[in-house]
Amino acid sequence: MNAPASVRHLAPPEVPARFRHLLRSEWIKLRSLRSTPYVLGPGGLVVTGICVNAARSNADRLDRGPRPGPGPDPGAAADADSGLPAFAFDALGTAFVDPAWQLLMVLAACLGAAALSGEYATGLARTTFAAVPDRRSVVAAKAVVVTAVLLVFGACVALTSFAATQALLRDHGGLSLSDPGAARAVVASALLAPVCGLVGMAAGALVRHAAGAAVTVIGVLLLLPALFQGDTYRWVRETGHLLPLDAWATLVHDPALPVTEKYPATAAEAWTVLGAWGVLGLAVAMAAVHHRDV
């Protein structure tokens, strides 16, 4: 008598990971990072607070002294009654103070770097790439999530900073979004965060260490532009225009004010530079992750 044939239980066929699954996974990872709530919460409040403080200071100064008068150099004029100098006032620039938005650049870049370097530091990258061998799809999904989160973050900070500062300056030439250059400045400031986040991802893919990636992005985004200031040599200044900080500064400049630079960049060139840095950051991150071992 023959023994009954054993029944073999076949495992269900493995379903390949789709891009939407990768997006969900990367969102969970980014949300789980300890640095994410600090960048999106206190970090945004600090950036906005610096701009609001600048607007309040300027409003108080304008209340005590004369309003800026016309002329090529109103800062040189002085009021005989109050003894306070009349100064050239940039209402749009008050909403986008350089130190505040440089801080935003660092925060966004460090968040983008942590999204990659954190996986290498914890060893999670091995598990991720074992489950999804197509590393470029993983990086693309991570870039989409980082870009979307930082775009919302940048837009919220830019709109809040603009609205709060111009409300404080409503009696001193405060602007609205319909004024020339205002919408452009808000959009450029909102886009600055995801662009820096992609640059941070590239640094995280190359360095694979949180501290090293942070130093790298600070050097590239903040220290490198300092080497290309001044207008003694045209090639030096035009090289500086190829950096994201200079491109952003060009776009937030009030078109109603005169341009004091000897070799200024155009708005079209500045938009191109911002877009190119985002694409370059993504390309470097993909290439580094694809060609280097875990």
Side-chain angles (χ1 to χ4, degrees):
M1 183 176 179
N2 296 331
S6 60
V7 179
R8 298 179 60 186
H9 297 280
L10 299 178
E14 185 178 353
V15 179
R18 299 184 181 276
F19 195 71
R20 68 173 181 271
H21 301 148
L22 297 179
L23 291 175
R24 186 181 307 166
S25 173
E26 296 302 330
W27 163 242
I28 294 174
K29 293 177 186 177
L30 184 65
R31 187 180 58 188
S32 303
L33 284 175
R34 293 181 179 179
S35 57
T36 301
Y38 293 103
V39 170
L40 303 181
L45 291 176
V46 170
V47 172
T48 305
I50 294 174
C51 297
V52 169
N53 182 64
R56 185 182 300 276
S57 176
N58 284 329
D60 291 343
R61 186 176 179 183
L62 288 167
D63 287 336
R64 293 195 307 268
R67 296 196 176 195
D73 187 16
D79 181 69
D81 297 331
S82 64
L84 296 173
F87 60 98
F89 178 62
D90 182 7
L92 184 60
T94 305
F96 306 104
V97 180
D98 280 351
W101 291 89
Q102 289 174 8
L103 174 61
L104 180 136
M105 293 174 69
V106 173
L107 292 175
C110 288
L111 182 64
L116 264 178
S117 63
E119 289 204 41
Y120 288 109
T122 59
L124 182 60
R126 295 186 181 91
T127 305
T128 300
F129 296 143
V132 186
D134 188 0
R135 299 183 179 186
R136 283 174 290 196
S137 296
V138 175
V139 177
K142 195 181 294 290
V144 170
V145 172
V146 169
T147 299
V149 170
L150 289 179
L151 180 60
V152 173
F153 168 69
C156 291
V157 175
L159 287 171
T160 303
S161 177
F162 180 82
T165 55
Q166 303 313 304
L168 290 172
L169 299 171
R170 60 183 178 273
D171 295 331
H172 307 288
L175 305 175
S176 66
L177 282 176
S178 60
D179 289 312
R184 184 185 72 181
V186 171
V187 172
S189 300
L191 291 176
L192 186 64
V195 168
C196 293
L198 293 174
V199 174
M201 281 187 60
L206 292 172
V207 181
R208 299 188 177 185
H209 188 273
V215 172
T216 301
V217 296
I218 291 174
V220 172
L221 295 177
L222 299 186
L223 300 183
L224 190 59
L227 301 177
F228 298 99
Q229 299 297 321
D231 54 7
T232 303
Y233 302 101
R234 180 168 185 166
W235 70 270
V236 172
R237 194 67 197 98
E238 290 184 346
T239 302
H241 290 320
L242 298 177
L243 300 174
L245 180 60
D246 274 65
W248 168 79
T250 298
L251 294 171
V252 299
H253 178 76
D254 191 342
L257 298 178
V259 178
T260 57
E261 283 196 33
K262 188 177 181 180
Y263 307 110
T266 64
E269 292 171 346
W271 286 120
T272 303
V273 168
L274 277 184
W277 272 89
V279 173
L280 179 64
L282 177 58
V284 171
M286 281 189 169
V289 171
H290 180 69
H291 293 290
R292 290 181 62 184
D293 293 333
V294 179

